[in-house]
Every structure is written in C-alpha cells, then in structure tokens.
Amino acid sequence: ITQAGKMAVCKVNIDTDLRMALTAKIRQVFSETPAEFDPRKYLGPGREAIYEMVKHKLDVLGCAGKAAECA
C-alpha cells in the first residue's frame, strides 16, 4: 500500500480493514466478558480500534499530517 501511495494511486479501499478491526474488538470484548450486553461497553472499544486503524492507514499511505495542505 505504501508503494501504491507513492505511485499516485488515487483511491485505496480500506473499509474491509475498518470493519475487521471493529469486529475483532467486539469479539474480544464478548470473549473476555461473555455476559456483557451493553453496546456502550463493546462499541466504545470498537470505535477506538477503528480510530487506530485509520491512523495506521493514513501513516502507511503517507497522508498523515497533510490536512493543512488541503485547507
């Protein structure tokens, strides 16, 4: 992916990676606390997993820190 970003690839789909990060974290919470049913207890960690994956993808694609250039 890093090489593709350097070659001016305009679009990289990362939705599957985001959904996998969310699902993995929810499964982890359910595995560690099987009686948990409050969505706030598993969606919060899921959102954090998505946030971390987005940070990673922005870094890998060479986009991190460039928001000011677009303003």
Side-chain angles (χ1 to χ4, degrees), residues 12-64:
V12 176
N13 292 320
I14 63 169
D15 177 61
T16 300
D17 293 332
L18 300 180
R19 286 184 286 128
M20 289 176 63
L22 172 67
T23 302
K25 185 54 75 170
I26 290 173
R27 286 179 177 170
Q28 178 186 352
V29 171
F30 285 162
S31 174
E32 293 172 357
T33 54
E36 190 57 68
F37 63 90
D38 184 349
R40 295 170 292 183
K41 301 291 183 169
Y42 57 84
L43 290 178
R47 278 191 301 271
E48 181 63 27
I50 289 174
Y51 176 82
E52 292 300 324
M53 179 61 73
V54 168
K55 281 179 34 180
H56 170 72
K57 293 296 181 179
L58 289 173
D59 185 50
V60 168
L61 292 168
C63 300

